[in-house]
Structures are given as structure tokens and as C-alpha cells.
Amino acid sequence: MRLLYLLNVSNPDRLSADSGYTFADLLAPALTDGGAEVTVAAPVATTDPRVGVASTASPATKYRARFDPDVDDLVALIQRTRPQVLVANQIEAAPAIRAALLEARADAKIVGYCHYLPFLVTDGGRLERDPSLNDGGLGHSVQLAFAAGLAACDRVLVHSQAAAAWTTAAAAQMSVDLTDKLRIVPAPRDERLVRAPAAAAAPDGVAAGIYNHRLYAHYGTAQFTALARRLVAEAPVRLTVMDLFGQRSPERVRLDPSPERHRDELAALPGVTIASDGGDRAQYRSLLASAHFAIAPYRAGCPWSMSVIDCQGMSLPVIAPRTGWLAEHIDDDLLFDTPDQAVGIARRLAGDAEFYLLHAKRAYASTAEFAPSAVAARYLEAIA
């Protein structure tokens, strides 16, 4: 199978913060091991030399990635690589890909991976526009473009049961039929971030927590900040918050200044340390290994979190709000509905060694099915 993987890299200067790139870098070699001939079209190459490379330009903004696919370049790329399967990591580009296939007189299956859903899902199940994609009132247009992309795909892949339900509901609202198209294929874990539970020591009086998520407002960072304030004040807990982006470009800050604002607010809290891995995966592992537990984001309608899987693979129990995919995946003992419950769980992780070690083992076990070889097998089955 010749597979062309179209990858939009939104953070080319900080690849460690680009989950789409990490996903492709982990998956493409595993697909190659599974017998596929893979070419990744992206602004930067993946790290496995067996994976083909087709250099593309990085879109200036997240809106250009959705609304400005270059059909001329797509036609040339298709004619050069002659794929049998073409993976669109940006669903909104699928209609342009379909048009390019027609121009190139090529017959390839279009597979869309819903790496990011352009809507939020409330606890009541209502779909709402994602504010991070609503600059200048573009949110509705993004949703319509997403629906058009779903319609143009032969297969639609999503991360989880929750994501499948939400994508199906969104498609139905916009008269797109996903019958026989939708498949669930989770993201692969990073085997560099795997640590056996035997290496995870229970806290000795004080638990070190880590928060390794983007600090955008739509990730619920204000709610996390309020929780962080209570955790360090009311529980034997100290917190490390990761600064994943570092110094962002003025253009990205102009579109959304919330990460810098929240980072500064968190840095001012006693008991909270802001840390960066500098884009170094070994340093990232070291930061995770120095923690006892992790905290999931409050992101509404969260369909998946690679950062949560990173922590669980390192045998870190992850406490989480009872919402979205988190409620599907996280052990019920670690889910909370209120800040009081979250503080109580953190106290128990800090003071009850038996409880802590049990959940370190469960966290580690929960990622076994996400080994890249297992995910690649599911991926190839889904797109066949």
C-alpha cells in the first residue's frame, strides 16, 4: 500500500508542542513495519529514514491551514507519489484533495483523521463553536468546512468513543452521512515515555503534581489555575506547570494571548513552578519522572489527550474532571466533579501509598493498547 500522509505542522519551531507531528512521527514507522510504503508531506521530515519525505510549506495561520489548500501543489504531489491511500490530517482540506485527485486523474482513497474537533460539547451534550477557531466570527465557517471535509472522505478516523459520538452528531446536524465511514483508531503512545510501575515511588508526605497541557483559555486553564491555588494551599502538594510553547511569534500571540496571560498568573502562585523541556524529549521524560501524579485539562469536549497518555505511560496517576473522553478513559477513583473532590483525591494520592501504587499500575496498564505497533495494525485495518 502506498500511503501519502498530508501533515499540517502548526508549531514547526517547537515540534515537541505539536501533537500532530508527534503522532505522525510515531505512527509512520509503525505503518512501515506493517508493510505500507509511507510518504509524509510536511514542512519538516519525520525522524525515521525509511519514511518518505515531501517538503511542503507551513501555513501562516490555523485558518490558512483550513481555508487555503494549494490545489496546484496537491496535484503535483499526487502525480509524483501516486498514492493508493491519501491521509488528510486537516479534515477541512479533504474537498480540495478530492478535486486534486480528479485533476491528477488518480484514484486514491481519502482518509480523514479528526485530529482536532472544531466544536465543544457541553455536559448537556450540546455542540458549541470552539472559541479558539472563532476569531473574526469564523467559527461557523470552520464547522461547515469540517462537515464538507467529512463528506469528501472515504474513511473518517477518530480517537475515541466520545469523539465518534460527537463527530456523528455534528455530521448529522449538517446532513452528512457517516454510515460505514467512521472508525475509531487511538493515537500511539511514545515508547520513549514508558516506565514500569515498579519504578514509580509513592509520595513521602508531599506529592509532586505536573500539568503538561497547553495553556490556552479554551483548555479550561482558568479553572485549572483556581484548582492549582487550592491544591497547593490545602493539600500536601507542589505543582509543576509546563510552558510548552516558550516564546511564541507575535502573530500567534495576537490571535490568542491567553497562554502568556495564564502562564504569568500561574507563575505568581506559591507552590507552583513553571518549567520548560526546551523541546527536548529526554528532558520532558525527566520532568514527568520527577512527578507523582498529573492533572488533566478542563477542556470541554476533550476527544483525546496525548499529554495524559504520556503521563500514564510513565505510571503517573492522572486526576481529571469527569467530562468527555477523560470520563471514558480515566479510572473512576481519579475523576472529580468539584474542586473539593479533586483536593480530596490529591490528598489521598499523597498520603495513601497503597492507593497510589494501585493507580500507578492502572495508569501504566491503560496505555498498553496504544503501543505504536498495535495502533498501526488498527489503522491499516480501518483504511483497508
Side-chain angles (χ1 to χ4, degrees), residues 2 18 38-39 86 104 116 178 182 224 357 381:
R2 292 188 306 279
D18 195 297
V38 183
T39 298
L86 204 157
Y116 190 97
L178 293 182
L182 195 65
F224 164 70
L357 293 173
E381 181 183 3

Side-chain angles (χ1 to χ4, degrees), residues 15-379:
L15 290 177
S16 63
D18 195 297
S19 56
Y21 174 82
T22 301
F23 183 125
D25 195 40
L26 297 172
L27 181 64
L31 292 174
T32 302
D33 290 338
E37 180 185 326
V38 183
T39 298
V40 175
V44 289
T46 54
T47 55
D48 192 315
R50 298 175 302 159
V51 177
V53 181
S55 181
T56 60
S58 182
T61 71
K62 55 192 172 185
Y63 296 110
R64 280 186 176 255
R66 288 168 167 82
F67 297 131
D68 191 25
D70 191 319
V71 176
D72 287 338
D73 283 354
L74 284 171
V75 170
L77 180 60
I78 291 165
Q79 290 175 333
R80 194 164 66 247
T81 58
R82 288 293 168 184
Q84 295 166 301
V85 174
L86 204 157
V87 177
N89 200 48
Q90 195 76 58
I91 292 285
E92 295 89 342
I97 293 168
R98 178 71 69 190
L101 285 170
L102 285 172
E103 286 193 31
R105 298 184 180 180
D107 184 18
K109 182 181 293 183
I110 300 177
V111 176
Y113 202 106
C114 297
H115 184 70
Y116 190 97
L117 300 178
F119 47 80
L120 307 180
V121 183
T122 68
D123 290 337
R126 188 175 70 254
L127 296 178
E128 296 183 352
R129 292 172 194 164
D130 184 341
S132 74
L133 290 168
N134 197 32
D135 302 283
L138 280 169
H140 191 208
S141 297
V142 170
Q143 287 183 321
L144 292 173
F146 182 79
L150 295 176
C153 289
D154 298 297
R155 287 281 188 278
V156 175
L157 308 186
V158 294
H159 295 83
S160 61
Q161 292 284 354
W166 299 333
T167 302
T168 300
Q173 284 188 13
M174 292 176 274
S175 301
V176 176
D177 185 4
L178 293 182
T179 303
D180 296 329
K181 284 189 178 184
L182 195 65
R183 303 288 189 276
I184 297 173
V185 181
R189 74 180 182 185
D190 189 339
E191 296 298 293
R192 296 166 294 184
L193 303 175
V194 175
R195 179 184 64 166
D204 184 16
V206 177
I210 192 164
Y211 187 83
N212 59 329
H213 309 282
R214 300 177 182 188
L215 299 179
Y216 289 123
H218 67 281
Y219 273 61
T221 311
Q223 292 167 279
F224 164 70
T225 301
L227 176 60
R229 186 177 287 109
R230 288 196 57 181
L231 284 173
V232 296
E234 302 174 25
V237 165
R238 65 178 188 273
L239 291 177
T240 295
V241 174
M242 290 195 62
D243 176 12
L244 296 174
F245 289 137
Q247 188 68 36
R248 296 193 302 154
S249 70
E251 176 64 20
R252 293 179 70 85
V253 172
R254 185 186 66 79
L255 275 176
D256 185 353
S258 63
E260 286 74 16
R261 184 177 70 250
H262 287 305
R263 181 186 60 198
D264 293 345
E265 186 178 0
L266 285 159
L269 294 180
V272 174
T273 300
I274 305 297
S276 172
D277 62 9
D280 184 297
R281 211 64 174 168
Q283 179 62 17
Y284 180 45
R285 178 189 169 92
S286 178
L287 285 167
L288 296 185
S290 68
H292 295 111
F293 74 99
I295 304 170
Y298 277 86
R299 182 180 167 194
C302 178
W304 184 263
S305 172
M306 188 172 283
S307 297
V308 165
I309 300 301
D310 292 345
C311 294
Q312 291 181 315
M314 291 288 290
S315 298
L316 298 182
V318 178
I319 70 172
R322 193 186 307 274
T323 185
W325 165 76
L326 298 168
E328 172 188 324
H329 177 73
I330 301 289
D331 192 283
D332 193 65
D333 286 345
L334 302 180
L335 294 172
F336 58 84
D337 297 294
T338 67
D340 286 343
Q341 292 173 350
V343 171
I345 296 169
R347 284 176 177 156
R348 190 172 182 190
L349 288 171
D352 185 338
E354 183 177 355
F355 178 79
Y356 177 83
L357 293 173
L358 168 66
H359 283 288
K361 291 177 182 177
R362 289 182 179 177
Y364 175 83
S366 74
T367 71
E369 66 178 304
F370 308 138
S373 58
V375 171
R378 291 179 64 172
Y379 201 105

